[in-house]
């Protein structure tokens, strides 16, 4: 047997169980060893019946006083009761539906019982359906594996034991100097102890080693992707500071947070090291104006800039915004998106490489291979968390290490930011422009529709605008109304006297743009839309938003959506409409109704969904992690990051023979996850 042996050849694993293992992604003996326990039961520390803490699980060593007697109760259930003693006190045991219990527990013999201890009304301690084991058998800290319908934890543990007993030593792939520097245990020790810990201290050591490995390999993989933070020199030095003249031309006074962010970035771009800065600011905090200032500064210093947005609608909006910001200057702006015609694209590309355009705004289309710049000095990505690491890298490769500025409304935990962006600096907009009011948010059921429509009308009659957001409807989902039908229904009935517009993802970009333009100009009063408006859209006169089937949206998504209103000086209202009763949806609504604070919301989202899900593993190309917790394992993360950096420094793409084993680990971690 070796690590690549198919799991079906393991003793006791027939074809049925092999199938079940495959479903858990355990195909080989090696994969089995990497199938870690979910938690552990502590059988090493038995306590006396009297001292057992109530309502907690613990392990009790006791002798069976009487063989369990079975009785059948009405309904056909089988109950067995027994009493055990540790010499000082008695404890009652109850088992349900276990025909064999009489043969399993023998009077006069001693066992360990593991389970939750409760007390009956006379104060006698009880355990319901405890797990138990003969005291003669060796015990300690027992692994509990994630089980499936066909595989229980006990069986998985048995397989694990037999594999570990039959292999000699698990070879280590980490270079010895890294092991020594970080005081790590051997891989062999780690694997054996993650499954069958000798002690809690040993378990801790094992976990530390495995967490280190995981984060180390992850970062090796990310660092070896070309162009991320490896070259530290740029020719894009922007010596003079033109920010003040631009800021004074703005129609508003920048907030102190905006000014500070600008200063920090200007300081970065004056150096001959490329800037790598993240601007984090809640929806509506005014990130765009900061971006515009930096672009202006770059152009005045003789460089081109590019800005990438995640959707066409947003890219188009940015183009409009920037054209407006720069209307009194000689700055030329172009737009490249997926729907730019081939001929137009050819012309723009030529003009960009000739340096005729100063600023290019676009979607992913901007990072295509054949888009070239004459002198790209600054790249900005908006709503960064939607782009993958590789996309960011290829964007930056369009210049000679241009300065990078990324903007995000989603607060990213420091640790995750380190992983995704490497060593980056953060500016935070922790202040909203003056005059903004909190958005009032309510959650109601669908029988409130009549009242909601009245409420919307009241807003429209005052000259304000609003959104009705519908979820995307997949084919076959008959319980939801598609935006199109809903729009038609509303324009023919309740809102027949108002000017309605419809915006959805399947419309042609030109149509979308036209609708957005008409909405922005006030011609459309009420916009019925799918989530295409989710990010960045800015129409300050919109003061009401109704979100239909709100249970369909994630917490951060709802917050982003809601951020489309509350942008002007009018009090804004957001109404979440849903008949959903499930706990998760209800708690999401509760959070939204209770706070406008994006930071709090992001943290709640992170807690509810976990980081992988939160950032969309697939989009980011980040492999999922088994043991490491990106949020809490900061210390190990830093150490592993240093170790990875030192390996990469000497061998950028891990091609040296001595790093062959590391390369293999990286490849296997990234094999299905990376490449977007
Ligand atoms: P976000 O950070 O969500 O991208 P935007 O950049 O779209 O926010 O800004 C939201 C709105 O606030 C825009 O209409 C913008 O013109 C306006 N704005 C930005 N900064 C200020 C400011 N300092 N004072 C007043 N309004 C501002
Ligand atoms: Mg924005």
């Amino acid at each position: 047997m070796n690590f690549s042996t198919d799991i079906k050849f393991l003793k006791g694993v027939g074809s049925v169980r092999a199938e079940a293992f495959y479903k858990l992604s355990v195909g080989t003996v090696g994969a089995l060893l990497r199938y870690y326990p979910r938690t552990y039961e502590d059988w090493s520390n038995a306590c006396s019946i009297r001292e057992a803490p109530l309502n907690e699980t613990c392990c009790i060593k006791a002798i069976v006083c009487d063989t369990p007697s079975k009785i059948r109760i009405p309904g056909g259930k089988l109950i067995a009761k027994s009493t055990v003693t540790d010499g000082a006190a008695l404890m009652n045991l109850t088992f349900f539906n276990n025909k064999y219990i009489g043969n399993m527990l023998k009077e006069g013999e001693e066992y360990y019982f593991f389970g939750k201890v409760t007390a009956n009304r006379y104060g006698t301690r009880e355990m319901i359906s405890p797990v138990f084991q003969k005291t003669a058998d060796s015990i300690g800290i027992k692994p509990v594996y994630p089980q499936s319908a066909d595989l229980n934890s006990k069986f998985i543990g048995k397989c694990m034991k037999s594999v570990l007993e039959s292999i000699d030593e698990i070879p280590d792939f980490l270079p010895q100097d890294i092991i020594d520097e970080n005081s790590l245990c051997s891989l062999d020790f780690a694997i054996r102890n993650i499954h069958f810990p000798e002690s809690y201290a040993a378990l801790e050591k094992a976990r530390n080693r495995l967490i280190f490995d995981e984060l180390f390999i992850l970062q090796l993989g990310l660092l070896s992707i070309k162009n991320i933070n490896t070259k530290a020199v740029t020719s894009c030095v922007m010596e003079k500071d033109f920010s003040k003249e631009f800021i004074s031309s703005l129609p508003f006074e920048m907030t102190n947070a905006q000014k500070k962010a600008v200063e920090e970035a200007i300081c970065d771009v004056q150096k001959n090291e490329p800037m790598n800065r993240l601007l984090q600011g809640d929806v509506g905090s005014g990130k765009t104006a900061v971006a515009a200032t930096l672009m202006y500064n770059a152009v005045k210093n003789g460089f081109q800039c590019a800005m990438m947005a995640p959707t066409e609608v947003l890219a188009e909006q940015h183009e409009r915004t920037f054209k407006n910001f720069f209307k009194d200057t000689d700055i030329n702006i172009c737009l490249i998106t997926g729907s730019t015609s081939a001929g137009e694209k050819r012309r723009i590309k030529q003009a960009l490489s000739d340096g005729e355009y100063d600023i290019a705004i676009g979607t992913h289309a901007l990072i295509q291979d054949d888009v070239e710049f004459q002198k790209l000095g600054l790249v900005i990505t908006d709503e960064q968390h939607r782009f993958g690491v590789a996309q960011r890298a290829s964007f930056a490769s369009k210049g000679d290490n241009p300065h990078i500025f990324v903007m995000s409304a989603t607060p990213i935990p420091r640790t995750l930011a380190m992983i995704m962006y490497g060593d980056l600096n953060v500016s935070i907009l922790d202040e909203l422009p003056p005059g903004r009011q909190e958005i009032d948010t309510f959650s109601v059921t669908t029988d409130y529709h009549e009242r909601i429509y009245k409420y919307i009308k009241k807003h429209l009659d005052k000259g304000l605008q609003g959104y009705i957001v519908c979820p995307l409807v997949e084919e076959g989902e008959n319980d939801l109304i598609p935006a199109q039908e809903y729009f038609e229904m509303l324009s023919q009935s309740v809102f027949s006297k108002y000017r309605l517009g419809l915006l959805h993802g399947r419309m042609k970009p030109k149509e979308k743009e036209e609708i957005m333009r008409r909405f922005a100009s006030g011609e459309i009063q009420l916009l019925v839309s799918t989530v295409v408006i989710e990010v960045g859209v800015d129409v300050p006169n919109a003061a009401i938003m109704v979100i239909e089937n709100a249970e369909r949206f994630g917490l951060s998504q709802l917050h982003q959506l809601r951020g489309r209103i509350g942008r002007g000086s009018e009090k804004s209202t957001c109404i979440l409409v849903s008949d959903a009763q499930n706990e998760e949806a209800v708690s999401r609504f509760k959070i939204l109704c209770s706070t406008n604070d994006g930071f709090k919301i992001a943290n709640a989202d992170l807690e509810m969904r976990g980081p992988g899900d939160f950032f969309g593993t697939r989009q980011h190309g980040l492999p999922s992690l088994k043991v490491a917790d990106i949020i809490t394992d900061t210390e190990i993360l830093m150490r592993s990051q240093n170790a990875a950096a030192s390996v990469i420094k000497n061998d950028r793409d891990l091609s040296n023979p001595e790093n062959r084993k590391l390369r293999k680990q990286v490849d296997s971690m990234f094999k299905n996850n990376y490449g977007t």
Side-chain angles (χ1 to χ4, degrees):
M1 182 171 62
N2 60 34
F3 297 116
S4 54
T5 303
D6 195 304
I7 198 80
K8 71 179 174 211
F9 298 122
L10 213 63
K11 213 177 122 225
V13 180
S15 61
V16 175
R17 277 169 163 165
E19 275 310 316
F21 268 122
Y22 299 153
K23 274 199 201 124
L24 299 174
S25 302
V26 175
T28 60
V29 165
L32 180 68
L33 291 176
R34 297 293 186 159
Y35 193 75
Y36 303 138
R38 175 170 61 79
T39 179
Y40 301 86
E41 288 172 353
D42 186 2
W43 292 63
S44 65
N45 209 353
C47 62
S48 71
I49 293 175
R50 215 168 260 153
E51 279 163 8
L54 283 185
N55 298 313
E56 282 176 32
T57 36
C58 67
C59 181
I60 289 178
K61 188 168 159 188
I63 295 170
V64 176
C65 305
D66 46 314
T67 304
S69 54
K70 287 169 279 184
I71 44 169
R72 203 169 277 284
I73 55 165
K77 259 196 183 169
L78 201 60
I79 290 192
K81 285 185 176 288
S82 170
T83 315
V84 297
T85 179
D86 60 1
L90 291 173
M91 179 167 74
N92 295 332
L93 303 184
T94 308
F95 296 91
F96 293 103
N97 281 335
N98 188 336
K99 277 192 276 193
Y100 309 106
I101 193 72
N103 305 330
M104 293 160 80
L105 278 184
K106 291 269 159 49
E107 193 175 319
E109 292 193 5
E110 192 180 49
Y111 300 84
Y112 286 110
F113 296 94
F114 190 92
K116 191 157 108 179
V117 178
T118 52
N120 69 11
R121 62 194 144 125
Y122 307 111
T124 309
R125 308 252 145 147
E126 298 183 310
M127 267 191 187
I128 312 256
S129 306
V131 264
F132 52 87
Q133 183 174 317
K134 271 275 192 50
T135 49
D137 301 340
S138 81
I139 51 159
I141 305 166
K142 275 195 168 184
V144 179
Y145 293 95
Q147 38 189 18
S148 66
D150 304 317
L151 279 177
N152 64 32
S153 169
K154 207 168 168 182
F155 180 77
I156 298 173
K158 229 171 92 186
C159 295
M160 206 69 77
K161 203 160 217 137
S162 82
V163 166
L164 284 172
E165 275 162 9
S166 68
I167 50 178
D168 289 342
E169 197 190 343
I170 301 165
D172 216 313
F173 59 85
L174 269 192
Q176 193 59 41
D177 55 332
I178 292 183
I179 293 182
D180 295 344
E181 270 162 33
N182 295 283
S183 330
L184 299 170
C185 64
S186 71
L187 184 61
D188 186 73
F189 181 93
I191 297 279
R192 287 179 196 277
N193 278 279
I194 199 80
H195 292 297
F196 303 103
E198 286 162 15
S199 63
Y200 276 102
L203 176 59
E204 188 62 20
K205 260 188 134 23
R207 274 182 50 80
N208 275 346
R209 163 71 206 250
L210 296 175
I211 292 170
F212 184 93
D213 283 5
E214 203 163 51
L215 295 173
F216 175 69
I217 297 301
L218 174 69
Q219 295 182 82
L220 269 187
L222 293 177
L223 288 174
S224 64
I225 296 163
K226 67 182 156 87
N227 259 308
I228 295 187
N229 286 323
T230 42
K231 283 191 253 165
V233 188
T234 177
S235 60
C236 310
V237 183
M238 302 175 186
E239 267 162 15
K240 280 188 77 179
D241 175 4
F242 293 91
S243 65
K244 303 280 178 310
E245 63 181 58
F246 180 76
I247 289 174
S248 64
S249 80
L250 286 170
F252 46 73
E253 169 83 11
M254 268 196 171
T255 63
N256 287 328
Q258 282 172 314
K259 285 183 196 158
K260 184 154 172 267
V262 168
E263 270 168 36
E264 287 166 344
I266 293 285
C267 204
D268 290 349
V269 298
Q270 288 175 333
K271 298 185 191 142
N272 65 351
E273 258 168 55
M275 163 168 75
N276 194 23
R277 185 170 287 278
L278 170 70
L279 178 66
Q280 203 166 284
D282 204 355
V283 280
S285 57
K287 295 183 289 291
T288 319
V290 175
T293 312
L294 299 182
M295 287 193 189
Y296 180 87
N297 184 66
V299 173
K300 290 289 155 187
N301 273 285
F303 292 93
Q304 289 172 300
C305 315
M307 171 143 175
M308 185 159 71
T311 64
E312 291 198 5
V313 169
L314 195 54
E316 284 153 13
Q317 175 184 286
H318 278 318
E319 185 206 25
R320 272 196 303 278
T321 308
F322 290 129
K323 280 195 166 147
N324 194 33
F325 271 139
F326 299 131
K327 63 178 183 291
D328 298 327
T329 70
D330 52 2
I331 293 175
N332 294 319
I333 302 175
C334 67
L335 176 73
I336 303 186
T337 68
S339 60
T340 311
S341 73
E344 175 72 353
K345 226 179 238 166
R346 217 172 307 124
R347 188 191 63 74
I348 292 178
K349 280 180 199 159
Q350 187 60 48
L352 265 179
S353 69
D354 291 345
E356 280 167 36
Y357 284 114
D358 306 296
I359 295 175
I361 294 171
T363 55
H364 297 98
L366 264 185
I367 52 175
Q368 279 160 3
D369 286 343
D370 56 346
V371 178
E372 282 169 26
F373 292 82
Q374 188 189 48
K375 209 178 171 198
L376 182 62
L378 170 67
V379 298
I380 300 183
T381 45
D382 194 11
E383 310 295 343
Q384 170 70 23
H385 67 278
R386 296 177 155 242
F387 294 109
V389 182
Q391 283 171 339
R392 191 171 76 99
S394 69
F395 200 10
S397 71
K398 302 227 166 265
D400 172 31
N401 283 318
H403 299 290
I404 296 174
F405 193 68
V406 302
M407 308 199 290
S408 175
T410 316
I412 299 172
R414 173 82 193 138
T415 43
L416 195 58
M418 278 166 60
I419 285 185
M420 296 199 14
Y421 311 112
D423 189 14
L424 92 176
N425 298 305
V426 184
S427 296
I428 294 178
L429 298 184
D430 51 4
E431 184 183 3
L432 292 180
R436 295 280 169 79
Q437 298 187 49
E438 289 257 303
I439 302 168
D440 283 336
T441 304
F442 305 99
S443 125
V444 298
T445 50
T446 46
D447 19 307
Y448 277 72
H449 266 127
E450 289 311 315
R451 285 164 67 179
I452 296 171
Y453 296 146
K454 259 199 207 132
Y455 195 65
I456 297 178
K457 281 184 188 167
K458 223 168 87 189
H459 278 77
L460 304 187
D461 291 340
K462 270 201 273 183
L464 296 167
Q465 291 165 277
Y467 299 95
I468 296 185
V469 183
C470 308
L472 272 181
V473 180
E474 309 278 335
E475 228 164 292
E477 287 185 315
N478 301 325
D479 51 332
L480 299 183
I481 314 179
Q484 170 101 35
E485 276 171 41
Y486 196 40
F487 161 76
E488 279 161 17
M489 194 268 279
L490 292 176
S491 7
Q492 282 157 22
S493 55
V494 219
F495 291 102
S496 58
K497 295 204 177 62
Y498 296 83
R499 301 182 302 275
L500 267 58
L502 170 70
L503 191 70
H504 61 73
R506 267 162 299 168
M507 284 162 70
K508 291 210 187 76
K510 272 269 171 299
E511 295 171 335
K512 275 193 257 179
E513 194 184 351
E514 178 60 16
I515 295 285
M516 274 321 291
R517 196 194 52 71
R518 285 171 51 207
F519 186 62
S521 73
E523 193 189 319
I524 292 174
Q525 296 173 284
L526 181 62
L527 188 65
V528 179
S529 163
T530 56
V531 280
V532 286
I533 57 154
E534 182 188 345
V535 278
V537 172
D538 183 39
V539 178
N541 192 44
I544 180 156
M545 173 176 284
V546 175
I547 303 178
E548 302 282 353
N549 292 99
E551 74 281 358
R552 286 297 188 108
F553 302 92
L555 194 46
S556 290
Q557 202 182 13
L558 286 170
H559 178 63
Q560 287 273 328
L561 276 169
R562 176 173 67 173
R564 301 310 110 217
I565 54 172
R567 304 192 141 231
S569 49
E570 263 326 295
K571 181 88 187 165
S572 292
T573 313
C574 176
I575 303 175
L576 309 170
V577 189
S578 174
D579 288 331
Q581 304 278 325
N582 69 71
E583 206 178 305
E584 229 198 299
V586 172
S587 72
R588 257 180 278 161
F589 302 155
K590 244 197 210 136
I591 294 167
L592 283 162
C593 295
S594 70
T595 183
N596 273 264
D597 184 337
F599 218 91
K600 279 193 196 147
I601 290 169
N603 281 336
D605 204 13
L606 203 56
E607 248 167 54
M608 283 161 92
R609 301 207 281 161
D613 215 23
F614 186 60
F615 292 97
T617 318
R618 201 172 46 82
Q619 263 177 3
H620 293 280
L622 286 186
S624 52
L625 302 175
K626 281 191 198 164
V627 275
D629 180 335
I630 275 175
I631 316 294
T632 54
D633 292 323
T634 327
E635 213 249 46
I636 304 182
L637 179 74
M638 310 242 254
R639 282 194 282 121
S640 63
Q641 196 161 42
N642 289 337
S646 72
V647 171
I648 288 292
K649 205 171 80 197
N650 301 319
D651 182 13
R652 261 177 62 89
D653 47 5
L654 297 178
S655 55
N656 289 356
E658 83 237 28
N659 288 330
R660 214 194 56 233
K661 284 188 206 152
L662 293 179
R663 174 88 254 172
K664 222 176 118 195
Q665 294 284 328
V666 169
D667 288 345
S668 94
M669 180 183 247
F670 280 75
K671 78 174 170 267
N672 297 321
N673 296 291
Y674 203 75
T676 41

